[in-house]
Amino acid sequence: DTNLTRLGHCLSHLSVDPRLGKMIVWGYILGCAKDAVAMAVGMSYKSPFILPPPAMRSEAEEAKLDISGDTESDHVTMLKVLKVLDGYRKEGREYEFYNYCSSNFINAATIKMVSDLRQNIARELIAIGYKDPNDMNDWHNRNSNSDSSRENSNLEFLQSAIVAGVFPNVASNQERARNFGTSMNKMCTIHRSSVNGTFKQPLSSKRGQLHQHVAYGEMMKGEGADYTINQTTRLSSVLPILLLCGDLSIRPASLPGLESASLSSSSDNINTNKNGDASEASYNAAMAVNGWISVHCDNLTASALALLRNRLDLTFHRITSNPHRGFDDLLKMETDTLRVLDVVTKSSFDHSNNQ
């Protein structure tokens, strides 16, 4: 135990992959603990979506896309199926769930297994001092969506928890390219089994936005030198990567070699001048995560994000160091930091989706 970090000690007690355990911890901090546990368990088990005979695959894709809605996320799609099961159980109509699964090409037994595993993780979290992830009345679920009439209202926080856990499993593309680049210098496409790999999703073609970022669960090697990624979630904003992932560095945008470095991965612009204009002259700072994902912005924005990142790291350490008291023993600066995190996460998500 002395050789383990506080986070490592926590993750060693959870029966999921360490990346997924980290996603759960960030889910607590982001206020979507219950949903983060469900998504982590879903990622750790086999997919419940059935691959039917070729003649029925188009129908199966349509059904999966209909469940996914506009989330562009395999993780959230799984979460939505679990919520359907929870709804039937709450109303005492669980038998109807089998009809739902049959019409949507879902293996009911797999979903019920994933549902039961959620409770195992909840017990493990409680045993090491974390609050019950199913308690919807505490701050660790302040951004969880318990109202079925407001579907996807917390998507920005789910995206943030996902990428905080799976990083560096992030793929990016630019200039409307179909292929995605990764930190391992491997080019890949999205696997057909993903909701983002079907022909009716923007990510599967060249119709997507510039500089898209996709968090993924696994990369698979196909025939020849081709790679595909699965368990994908499109990130509406690059901000969660800057605030929650990897090692952040900042340097002047005019340093030699910056342009070539940006082109080799991905480059975005963030600007907060008073007119909201994307003036090239205002992009005088470059922020990079693990020397790969690069973002240009003004100095004021870079300084503010770096400060927020530093305070988030301190808050994360405080909570993981002593989860028995961590949530109730935060300093005012730390609770203020979490409020700011909520605001900027939602703001960047709304801004990106309105562009």
Side-chain angles (χ1 to χ4, degrees):
D1 285 354
T2 57
N3 295 323
L4 290 175
T5 65
R6 294 293 185 177
L7 175 61
H9 179 77
C10 165
L11 301 183
S12 69
H13 285 77
L14 299 180
S15 54
V16 292
D17 184 276
R19 294 177 308 146
L20 303 181
K22 188 177 181 182
M23 184 177 91
I24 291 172
V25 175
W26 272 113
Y28 272 82
I29 294 172
L30 288 158
C32 55
K34 181 178 180 180
D35 290 343
V37 168
M39 292 189 300
V41 173
M43 289 180 67
S44 67
Y45 205 66
K46 63 182 180 180
S47 173
F49 292 95
I50 299 169
L51 183 64
M56 303 179 68
R57 286 183 186 173
S58 178
E59 185 181 352
E61 284 186 355
E62 290 280 357
K64 193 173 183 180
L65 280 174
D66 186 57
I67 296 171
S68 177
D70 58 359
T71 66
E72 294 179 297
S73 171
D74 292 311
H75 312 99
V76 181
T77 301
M78 166 75 83
L79 176 63
K80 293 175 76 170
V81 175
L82 286 167
K83 288 188 174 184
V84 170
L85 172 58
D86 290 342
Y88 279 126
R89 282 177 170 172
K90 185 177 181 180
E91 297 171 4
R93 298 187 296 126
E94 186 174 343
Y95 59 92
E96 293 186 25
F97 181 68
Y98 292 94
N99 293 331
Y100 170 85
C101 290
S102 177
S103 60
N104 286 286
F105 300 90
I106 296 171
N107 186 315
T110 299
I111 282 291
K112 294 186 75 172
M113 176 63 74
V114 170
S115 178
D116 293 341
L117 290 174
R118 289 182 297 178
Q119 303 310 314
N120 292 345
I121 299 297
R123 286 190 289 269
E124 293 168 357
L125 286 163
I126 294 169
I128 56 176
Y130 285 86
K131 293 192 174 183
D132 184 353
N134 297 309
D135 182 356
M136 299 299 292
N137 298 314
D138 212 328
W139 79 277
H140 61 282
N141 274 316
R142 66 191 182 279
N143 294 315
S144 286
N145 180 14
S146 59
D147 184 355
S148 60
S149 67
R150 299 175 62 248
E151 264 196 4
N152 307 335
S153 61
N154 66 337
L155 183 58
E156 60 270 43
F157 299 103
L158 301 182
Q159 290 180 358
S160 298
I162 291 165
V163 73
V166 304
F167 191 85
N169 285 9
V170 173
S172 301
N173 73 352
Q174 50 188 330
E175 305 303 330
R176 302 182 184 275
R178 182 173 182 271
N179 291 329
F180 286 76
T182 69
S183 60
M184 296 177 287
N185 293 323
K186 290 184 171 66
M187 298 302 294
C188 58
T189 57
I190 297 176
H191 195 270
R192 181 71 181 273
S193 64
S194 169
V195 293
N196 292 314
T198 62
F199 292 119
K200 294 190 177 182
Q201 286 280 45
L203 282 178
S204 68
S205 67
K206 296 182 179 180
R207 294 181 286 113
Q209 298 176 353
L210 297 179
H211 309 310
Q212 296 181 109
H213 303 286
V214 178
Y216 65 91
E218 58 182 355
M219 177 183 291
M220 299 166 288
K221 191 175 187 304
E223 296 182 1
D226 295 333
Y227 289 86
T228 60
I229 53 176
N230 202 356
Q231 293 185 333
T232 66
T233 289
R234 175 185 173 270
L235 303 175
S236 297
S237 168
V238 72
L239 190 67
I241 301 177
L242 296 177
L243 293 179
L244 312 178
C245 302
D247 296 320
L248 179 67
S249 61
I250 304 175
R251 60 179 177 174
S254 58
L255 278 179
L258 173 66
E259 290 302 318
S260 60
S262 297
L263 289 174
S264 68
S265 54
S266 60
S267 180
D268 292 275
N269 294 325
I270 299 177
N271 184 33
T272 57
N273 65 36
K274 63 182 180 181
N275 297 319
D277 299 326
S279 168
E280 288 296 329
S282 68
Y283 299 138
N284 48 15
M287 307 182 73
V289 178
N290 286 13
W292 181 56
I293 294 178
S294 175
V295 176
H296 294 182
C297 61
D298 60 272
N299 286 329
L300 181 61
T301 300
S303 297
L305 291 176
L307 177 60
L308 178 57
R309 165 78 184 238
N310 181 60
R311 291 184 174 179
L312 279 170
D313 288 344
L314 292 173
T315 305
F316 184 86
H317 177 73
R318 168 73 71 93
I319 292 173
T320 55
S321 294
N322 190 356
H324 292 274
R325 296 184 58 198
F327 302 110
D328 298 319
D329 194 37
L330 295 178
L331 302 174
K332 182 178 184 303
M333 180 197 74
E334 294 165 338
T335 57
D336 288 344
T337 296
L338 294 179
R339 292 189 183 98
V340 172
L341 175 62
D342 287 356
V343 171
V344 298
T345 299
K346 186 167 182 57
S347 174
S348 64
F349 177 87
D350 291 342
H351 176 74
S352 298
N353 286 340
N354 289 332
Q355 284 185 326

